[in-house]
């Protein structure tokens, strides 16, 4: 619906950016209706139903918000930090802006397996901790990390060989394409090595109810390290657009150095949401 809607509204009806936005909203509304209808099927073990016996539980909701609010706050500040870094990229010229945009889009495909597995990791770890089975939580956490690494090996490998074909889709100059390819290559390398430890471990912590720790680490890392490193590399080392990407890679390394000891100490297994 999104892709076809873009073609019909933006090109067919000449609505431009408005058509893109409208087709995106309509497709998401449709997806929301479908998923809610599936969640309301009563033959499932757990399903949504409207009940007149609804009771507001401040205690129960506060426990959920202890996980949700830190994650939401971290995400908000994370995207604010990315906005600042996008402004830095803009100072390097049109070629850097185009290369950064292309590399970011392709990079999203490289991490798709990890993002998908992370969505399920929260529920898996939460059930283990809820059952007070810490050994099972650690076992599944390691297994999840293994699945993420395996998935990334496949996705990065496919993208690596498909990159020349993908770049032909964009109307960019050879120099811009070369810069984008460099960012994609380095991104793929760090995706199959560091990313699971930097991005999946905090998801595991949140699943156990340990949401405050990754929030503090993620926010501090973004504003006290990543942004400063990007400006230093871009200004004093003249690395251009790649300064933003290398600051991201170094940010992952820093998070890994913090998250791995936390994981090995098992302090996160002592947390519980409910």
């Amino acid at each position: 619906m999104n892709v076809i809607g873009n073609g019909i509204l933006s090109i067919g009806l000449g609505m431009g950016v408005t058509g893109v936005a409208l087709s995106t909203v309509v497709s998401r509304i449709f997806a929301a209706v479908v998923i809610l209808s599936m969640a309301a099927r009563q033959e499932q073990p757990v399903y949504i139903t409207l009940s007149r016996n609804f009771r507001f539980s401040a205690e129960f909701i506060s426990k959920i918000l202890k996980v949700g609010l830190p994650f939401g706050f971290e995400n908000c500040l994370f995207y604010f930090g990315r906005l600042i870094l996008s402004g830095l990229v803009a100072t390097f010229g049109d070629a850097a802006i185009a290369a950064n945009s292309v590399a970011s889009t392709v990079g999203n495909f490289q991490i798709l397996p990890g993002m998908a597995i992370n969505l399920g990791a929260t529920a898996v770890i939460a059930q283990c901790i809820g059952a007070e089975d810490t050994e099972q939580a650690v076992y599944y956490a390691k297994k999840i990390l293994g699945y993420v690494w395996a998935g990334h090996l496949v996705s990065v490998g496919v993208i690596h060989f498909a990159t020349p074909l993908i770049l032909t889709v964009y109307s960019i100059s050879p120099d811009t394409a070369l810069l984008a390819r460099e960012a994609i290559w380095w991104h793929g390398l760090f995706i199959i090595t560091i990313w699971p430890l930097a991005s999946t471990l905090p998801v595991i912590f949140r699943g156990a109810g340990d949401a405050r720790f990754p929030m503090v680490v993620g926010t501090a890392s973004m504003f006290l390290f990543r942004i400063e490193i990007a400006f230093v590399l871009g200004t004093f080392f003249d690395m251009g657009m790649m300064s933003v990407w290398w600051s991201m890679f170094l940010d992952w390394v820093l998070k890994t150095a913090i998250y791995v000891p936390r994981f090995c100490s098992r302090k996160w297994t002592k947390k519980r949401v409910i």
Side-chain angles (χ1 to χ4, degrees), residues 5 8 51 115 156 166 178 194 209 247 257 260:
I8 295 175
S51 173
M115 297 298 292
V156 170
I166 294 173
L178 185 63
I194 299 296
S247 70
V260 169

Side-chain angles (χ1 to χ4, degrees), residues 46-144:
V46 179
Y47 57 88
I48 297 174
T49 181
L50 296 176
S51 173
R52 295 182 180 179
N53 300 321
F54 175 78
R55 181 171 57 87
F56 180 83
S57 175
E59 180 183 1
F60 188 79
I61 293 176
S62 66
K63 291 179 179 179
I64 297 174
L65 291 179
K66 283 181 181 179
V67 176
L69 286 180
F71 182 50
F73 182 72
E74 179 188 352
N75 262 350
C76 180
L77 293 181
F78 172 78
Y79 283 105
F80 180 69
R82 286 191 62 176
L83 184 64
I84 296 175
L85 294 175
S86 296
L88 175 62
V89 172
T91 64
F92 299 131
D94 294 339
I97 296 174
N100 185 68
S101 178
V102 172
S104 297
T105 302
V106 177
N108 287 334
F109 284 95
Q110 290 177 316
I111 62 173
L112 272 181
M115 297 298 292
I117 295 171
N118 283 356
L119 290 175
T122 302
V124 172
I125 301 302
Q127 290 193 46
C128 295
I129 296 298
E132 299 184 355
D133 192 341
T134 57
E135 291 301 323
Q136 193 177 52
V138 173
Y139 168 78
Y140 278 112
K142 293 178 180 178
K143 199 168 186 178
I144 287 168

